[in-house]
Amino acid sequence: LNVPMDLLVSGNQTCSLKNNAIKISAMCAYTAIQAGVPFSKVMDLLDDFIAETEKCVNITDIFELLKAVLFSFTRTVAVSRITAYSKPVRQAIEYIEAHYAEKITLVKLAAHVGLSESYLSSLLTKETGMTLADNINRARIEQIMNIMLHSNVTVSELSSMVGYTYNKHFAKRFRQFTAMMPTEDQKFLID
C-alpha cells in the first residue's frame, strides 16, 4: 500500500476513513445475516471490528483491518453454509477446499466420503445447487481471491497456483464467479 506519509497520521482523513470502515463492516454484517449467518454471531464480529477500528492510528492499519473484516465475514458465511449440508457433502466440500490445486475427480471424492459416484454427484448438486466441477471452480476462485489480497502475481502464475492448466479456462471460470475478466499482463496487487 502506497500512502503518502502525511496521510498516515492526519486526523481528519484517519477519522473519515475509520467511519467509512465501520460502514463497510456494517454492510458486510448485513450481507452475512442475509446469507443465513446467525444474528448474534454477526453482531459479535461486528462489535469486535468496530472496537478494533477505533484503535487504529493510521490509514495503513485501517486498510489492513478492512481486509481482515472482509475475510472474516466471507469465511463466516462459508462456514455457515457448509454446516447446513449433510455430512458427506461437508466432507466433500472440505476435501475440495483442502485439495483445490490438485486434480479432483468424482471417483476420488466418492471414495473419500464413502458413497457411490452417482449418489455423491446428485447429493452435491441437490444441496449446493452446483455441480462437482462448479464446486471445485468456486473453491479455486475463492483461493485466488485470497492470494490476490496477499501477493503480487500475474494471471499465468495465479492460474497455475490453484490447479488450472490452461489460462483461457481459468479466465472463463474467474469471470463466471467474479464477473471480472483478468488480463494476461495484469498484476494482482492489493497490499
Side-chain angles (χ1 to χ4, degrees), residues 126-153:
K126 179 182 172 187
E127 291 187 27
T128 68
M130 295 187 290
T131 64
L132 172 60
D134 283 341
N135 274 288
I136 293 168
N137 286 316
R138 178 201 45 79
R140 288 177 173 169
I141 298 303
E142 285 177 1
Q143 186 60 30
I144 285 167
M145 301 306 273
N146 187 41
I147 292 168
M148 287 168 53
L149 284 174
H150 299 97
S151 63
N152 183 12
V153 295

Side-chain angles (χ1 to χ4, degrees), residues 156-176:
S156 295
E157 295 165 333
L158 194 57
S159 64
S160 65
M161 289 170 73
V162 297
Y164 287 106
T165 308
Y166 303 103
N167 287 343
K168 284 187 179 187
H169 181 68
F170 159 71
K172 184 176 180 180
R173 295 299 160 235
F174 187 84
R175 186 173 184 188
Q176 174 187 357

Side-chain angles (χ1 to χ4, degrees), residues 88 91-92 106-117 119-120:
Q91 289 174 323
L106 184 56
V107 173
K108 189 185 295 185
L109 200 55
H112 176 74
V113 301
L115 296 176
S116 73
E117 297 161 31
Y119 185 61
L120 176 61

Side-chain angles (χ1 to χ4, degrees), residues 1-4 8 17 58-64 67 189-191:
L1 178 66
N2 294 325
V3 178
L8 289 177
L17 194 55
N58 63 49
I59 293 174
T60 303
D61 292 344
I62 297 168
F63 279 120
E64 289 302 315
K67 286 195 298 188
L189 180 63
I190 298 178
D191 292 348

